[in-house]
Amino acid sequence: MSRDSAPAEQGVAGPRADLGGAARNGAIALAGSGVAAVTGLLLNVVIGRGFGPAASGEFFVVVAVLTVITTIGKLGADTGLVWAVARARALGRQRDVRTTLRVAVLPSIVAGVLLAVLLFLLAPWLAGLTGGGAEQARLFRQSAPFVLIAGPALVLTAGLRGSGSIFGYTAVQNVIVPGLRPVLAGLTLAAGLGLGAAILTWNLPFVAGLVVAVFLVARRTRAIEQAHPDAAPARPPRDVAAEFWRFSGPRAVTAALEVAIVWADVLVVAALATPRDAGIYAAASRFILTGTLAEGAMRVAMAPEISRLLALRDLDGAARLSSVVTQWTVLLSWPLYLVLALYSPAVLSVFGPGFDDGSNALTLLSVAMLAVMAAGNNQTILLMGGRSGLQMINRAVALSGNLVMNFLLVPAWGMNGAAVAWSVTWVADALLVMLEVRYAIGLKRTWRRVVPAMTMAAVAFVPTGLVYRLLTDGGTVAAVPCAALGVVVFGVLVVTNSRHLDVEPMRGVLPGRGRVGAARSSAGR
């Protein structure tokens, strides 16, 4: 049996929310997210300092297009596997897991072939659309073969998450693939190679990810089947596929819309402003994505459990889990976004000269993300509640509004206009989904658990940040002690006010505290 198969399968026994399990999985996912955040930042620094704002803008434009295409190639099957596999395990249908994997992966392979051909053929048109030339078209064509690999790799990796192997998912998604990129990029620059080699360092790690994912998924599937020899017989593949694609079909469109929202502003800035502005804005906005890794770690941890609770109609348990995880998300993400908002000139200076021109954009984006993180993990609840169609509509509306605002604001305000459009889009979407979870799913989340975390972060970081912005020259030398003081104050506030926070499940995953924490968590259910 695999290292995490027993705990995962034991969790299906009862209908109550498993906060201890969510905490353990959250700790694993958070550790992996930390690795991904650091390596992602290192990649941005290597590209920014190695190529400068203009050439790094071309790099990020190619990455943006590849990310959109790869997301389309997944066909929503990655999220579909999280939902379907977790649901099958909760309902005693463990023998459906293998069939579900097949009906998810095979279409993504076909989609990858078609998209790779289209990317190769349409490369000159795409390059012209994004303000590039023949060199950018060559970069697109060079990347086409990797589109065949990226989609299935990401889908299989999501299968690990749905089956309860958060360790395996994290190893591939947050360590192996992102960890290889800055190493390869650094070697590329040391060898004096150009953008073509730099784009190759973005694509090659997908090969390693696919190999590891295939091995781990096969092992995990066998472990689930062996642990449940008396599970219900496997259903016909046609029935499994029909159920799976009813959920995943709308999600395919939604995922493409989501990633388009994330990267559209970079592409619009490149097309309507300059590659230099696009490079600076991409660096600023990638910092924002780094901050979402904490929320992503919590989402990874809670999604299978939320799917299980909603399948069993335990709305109270789902609401409690959602409130606690939102509190953890705020504790982890608000300090970072407050630092990014208040210390933006110093933060962007790590990329090299000229990048601090994006400080206003970074501040706008960071303030918006404070609201998005406080709104909570409602997207996960909506998806795991089977409302993928509703989420697709949300994303279509959000992308339409985002594009309209970008085309109106970028010509006049440049990258700051793109930041305004992005911020309005995500805050409005977060508020809309919050209302949908309340009234469409019927889940009532309390703010009682979230407000203390928000207050502690604000009290710790806002005063020192305002001192930095108002009373110093805005340099890195002044930023370090001010931000460090905020970290110390925040730590003191969390420790001295832990009675107002749901930290007990997290304590259960600390070395030497597992037995005590687990017992208290169980007793408190």
Side-chain angles (χ1 to χ4, degrees), residues 104-139:
V105 173
L106 291 178
S108 72
I109 295 174
V110 175
V113 173
L114 295 175
L115 288 170
V117 172
L118 286 174
L119 177 60
F120 188 87
L121 295 177
L122 298 179
W125 177 78
L126 283 172
L129 187 67
T130 55
E135 173 65 14
Q136 199 168 86
R138 187 184 66 81
L139 296 177

Side-chain angles (χ1 to χ4, degrees), residues 77-101:
D78 53 339
T79 303
L81 278 178
V82 176
W83 173 79
V85 174
R87 180 180 174 85
R89 293 167 61 224
L91 299 177
R93 298 174 180 169
Q94 284 81 1
R95 295 185 185 278
D96 282 349
V97 171
R98 188 179 297 271
T99 306
T100 303
L101 287 167

Side-chain angles (χ1 to χ4, degrees), residues 20 24 503-524:
R24 287 188 298 274
V503 297
E504 198 61 46
M506 274 296 183
R507 285 176 178 168
V509 305
L510 297 176
R513 298 297 301 274
R515 206 170 284 177
V516 175
R520 289 179 180 174
S521 178
S522 298

Side-chain angles (χ1 to χ4, degrees), residues 336-411:
L336 175 60
Y337 284 123
L338 287 169
V339 167
L340 293 178
L342 295 165
Y343 301 92
S344 54
V347 168
L348 287 173
S349 68
V350 303
F351 293 109
F355 280 91
D356 57 353
D357 289 349
S359 60
N360 289 335
L362 180 57
T363 297
L364 287 170
L365 296 170
S366 300
V367 171
M369 289 307 298
L370 293 173
V372 173
M373 294 295 105
N377 36 61
N378 295 299
Q379 299 286 358
T380 300
I381 298 170
L382 200 65
L383 274 175
M384 296 300 105
R387 299 303 183 99
S388 55
L390 186 58
Q391 194 191 50
M392 179 183 68
I393 296 172
N394 295 343
R395 288 298 190 244
V397 172
L399 179 60
S400 300
N402 179 266
L403 290 174
V404 170
M405 287 186 287
N406 266 303
F407 281 110
L408 290 175
L409 299 178
V410 169

Side-chain angles (χ1 to χ4, degrees), residues 134-524:
E135 173 65 14
Q136 199 168 86
R138 187 184 66 81
L139 296 177
F140 284 138
R141 283 181 166 164
Q142 170 190 309
S143 302
F146 294 97
V147 175
L148 301 172
I149 298 169
L154 294 171
V155 170
L156 281 172
T157 304
L160 290 169
R161 177 180 163 196
S163 65
S165 181
I166 302 300
F167 182 86
Y169 170 84
T170 302
V172 177
Q173 184 79 3
N174 291 336
V175 178
I176 294 174
V177 173
L180 286 173
R181 284 170 176 159
V183 175
L184 296 175
L187 293 174
T188 295
L189 285 173
L193 302 177
L195 273 179
I199 291 297
L200 193 61
T201 67
W202 176 269
N203 290 317
L204 275 176
F206 283 124
V207 179
L210 178 62
V211 172
V212 177
V214 168
F215 171 76
L216 293 179
V217 166
R219 189 180 69 169
R220 178 61 179 160
T221 303
R222 285 195 302 270
I224 291 175
E225 292 173 344
Q226 291 170 3
H228 294 271
D230 299 326
R235 292 180 295 163
R238 179 177 298 179
D239 294 346
V240 174
E243 180 183 73
F244 181 85
W245 289 109
R246 275 197 302 270
F247 174 88
S248 301
R251 178 60 191 162
V253 180
T254 303
L257 294 172
E258 284 177 346
V259 76
I261 295 171
V262 170
W263 286 99
D265 45 1
V266 175
L267 298 175
V268 172
V269 171
L272 299 184
T274 65
R276 178 183 183 277
D277 287 346
I280 295 171
Y281 183 77
S285 59
R286 291 327 92 188
F287 261 120
I288 296 302
L289 293 184
T290 299
T292 64
L293 290 173
E295 186 269 341
M298 295 298 103
R299 183 175 66 248
V300 166
M302 74 171 285
E305 181 68 6
I306 283 287
S307 178
R308 183 181 75 86
L309 291 169
L310 293 179
L312 299 172
R313 298 304 300 164
D314 183 7
L315 293 180
D316 290 339
R320 182 181 180 222
L321 178 60
S322 172
S323 297
V324 172
V325 171
T326 301
Q327 180 195 90
W328 295 344
T329 300
V330 169
L331 287 171
L332 294 168
S333 64
W334 267 48
L336 175 60
Y337 284 123
L338 287 169
V339 167
L340 293 178
L342 295 165
Y343 301 92
S344 54
V347 168
L348 287 173
S349 68
V350 303
F351 293 109
F355 280 91
D356 57 353
D357 289 349
S359 60
N360 289 335
L362 180 57
T363 297
L364 287 170
L365 296 170
S366 300
V367 171
M369 289 307 298
L370 293 173
V372 173
M373 294 295 105
N377 36 61
N378 295 299
Q379 299 286 358
T380 300
I381 298 170
L382 200 65
L383 274 175
M384 296 300 105
R387 299 303 183 99
S388 55
L390 186 58
Q391 194 191 50
M392 179 183 68
I393 296 172
N394 295 343
R395 288 298 190 244
V397 172
L399 179 60
S400 300
N402 179 266
L403 290 174
V404 170
M405 287 186 287
N406 266 303
F407 281 110
L408 290 175
L409 299 178
V410 169
W413 296 349
M415 69 181 81
N416 291 333
V420 171
W422 196 94
S423 300
V424 171
T425 298
W426 283 104
V427 172
D429 182 72
L431 293 174
L432 176 62
V433 177
M434 186 190 305
L435 293 173
E436 290 170 345
V437 165
R438 170 64 181 85
Y439 293 104
I441 302 294
L443 192 146
K444 302 177 183 178
R445 197 193 77 191
T446 175
W447 284 89
R448 178 178 58 83
R449 300 177 185 272
V450 181
V451 171
M454 297 165 58
T455 303
M456 291 177 199
V459 168
F461 289 96
V462 171
T464 54
L466 290 178
V467 168
Y468 167 77
R469 293 300 287 260
L470 300 176
L471 300 180
T472 73
D473 61 357
T476 305
V477 174
V480 172
C482 289
L485 179 59
V487 172
V488 172
V489 173
F490 181 68
V492 171
L493 288 174
V494 170
V495 171
T496 57
N497 293 276
S498 60
R499 65 187 182 278
H500 299 299
L501 303 171
D502 295 278
V503 297
E504 198 61 46
M506 274 296 183
R507 285 176 178 168
V509 305
L510 297 176
R513 298 297 301 274
R515 206 170 284 177
V516 175
R520 289 179 180 174
S521 178
S522 298

Side-chain angles (χ1 to χ4, degrees), residues 25-39:
N25 289 338
I28 294 171
L30 184 61
S33 294
V35 174
V38 171
T39 54

Side-chain angles (χ1 to χ4, degrees), residues 35-48 178-179 181-183 185-186 351:
V35 174
V38 171
T39 54
L41 178 60
L42 285 175
L43 176 66
N44 291 347
V45 171
V46 168
I47 296 299
R181 284 170 176 159
V183 175
F351 293 109

